[in-house]
Amino acid sequence: MTSDSFQPIQGMSDLAVPEIHLWQRLEDTARDLLSRYAFREVRTPILERTDVFERSLGDTTDVVRKEMYSFEDRGGRNLTLRPEGTAGVIRYVAGQGQDAQEARLYYIGPMFRSERPQAGRRRQFHQLGVEAIGAPCPAADAEAIALQAHLLGAWGLDEFRMEVNTRGLPEDRARVADGLRDALKTKRAELCEDCHRRYEENPLRILDCKKTECRDVVAGLPPVTSFMSVEARDYLRDVLQILKRLEIPVTENPRLVRGLDYYVHTVWEVTHVGLGAQDALSGGGRYALTLGNKTVEGVGFAMGLERVIAALTGQGMDPKSLAERPDVWLVSQGASAFDENLVLMQTLRMRGVSCGMDLQGRSMKAQMRAANRADSRYVIIRGEHEMEEGTFQLKNMEDGVQEELDMPDLIQRLTPATDIAWPDSEEKK
Ligand code: AMP
């Protein structure tokens, strides 16, 4: 086997120590906050029928056009590794009948896109997404944006920027497309090759093009809202007003387009200054998604967790500082002390104390080295003398103080380090 055999496939990563500490911290904080906003988790399969994505995402989007990992399984079914989370959640909600029509759901998990891997673009990446189904009104959109800002703040992110715009109503689409074609008519020659195609198929996507030549042309265009109905403009105004009352700072960006075709009304994007070219942390919006004979309306967002982590580490957050230290490391001299310590370790763990010991019966010196490596708060040492006396040497690794204690005192001393109610509460059960 070459060393390459031990690498995950290109664009995908193993998530392990030390970064995993940060992943877990993000997930714990998010679950806590999402439940405060009355959202419940849903875990949909990673694999879906391809048409779940084709029909919901719109087949002119880049995700569907070139980025899906699709294949035919042995039964001849066309399947796709999910490139995003909304379509699966909507499939789930649409199958739930009336009750789920006002669901508040979130998901955390891997997504797959066969993009060209580069900084900030992975083929497997992770998203945390939120979908508030039903309640099609400006207050629901503002609430989702407020939740997103709250979450980013709770994670410790600063210097993120939230930009908001509208896609208008479905009826506005044709007017916007015609308005843009008209405004772009004389500039077509200056657009990139992809945008030539977009001019015919979906000119709104030209606003999203990252090429300099197209950006220059786009800068001279009137805002898309100028082609839209009064209803669409009023809706956006209401969302922005509520956000102002909730003191959530957002910027209106009349050129913001989200890549997927299912959006109506509010769309938004969050960027972070520290991320370089791929600076989007998250995108969201209101959507109406039709699957089979059902249309599900909702508002939601999806955040790229790799990018949140990159932004946090860029801000100086060290994942190693989040590693949990064991409370206790047990050290034994002699076979009977080792044997008793095994039992004590199990008892302590059952009582909520995190602890460890060398299991191979190595020398005292090696055991103390292991204790230092584990960075435990306390070390319990038991040798011949302690076995005879029924005592324990408890060393506080922070101040170096060592005391000889009997079992009741030992237990009492360890309690404050663990925040648990020591044996009493167990007995009362
Ligand atoms: P999207 O579903 O394309 O709106 O993406 C939502 C968020 O997911 C983006 O703002 C990024 O933070 C993240 N994201 C999307 N594609 C990738 C990718 N290939 N690699 C890493 N993160 C991604």
Side-chain angles (χ1 to χ4, degrees), residues 319-338:
K320 284 201 202 85
S321 70
L322 301 173
E324 293 206 354
R325 303 167 61 190
D327 298 316
V328 180
W329 197 263
L330 294 96
V331 170
S332 355
Q333 195 170 28
S336 61
F338 175 84

Side-chain angles (χ1 to χ4, degrees), residues 59-61 65 177 181 194-206 261:
D59 56 12
T60 61
T61 61
R65 196 176 266 278
R181 279 194 201 100
D194 279 339
C195 284
H196 265 279
R197 175 175 50 76
R198 291 175 184 143
Y199 181 92
E200 300 297 344
E201 282 180 5
N202 191 353
L204 193 67
R205 304 286 323 278
I206 296 172
D261 281 345

Side-chain angles (χ1 to χ4, degrees), residues 26-37 106:
L26 291 190
E27 288 171 16
D28 291 348
T29 308
R31 287 182 202 285
D32 200 42
L33 197 71
L34 287 158
S35 103
R36 215 185 298 171
Y37 280 72
Y106 76 89

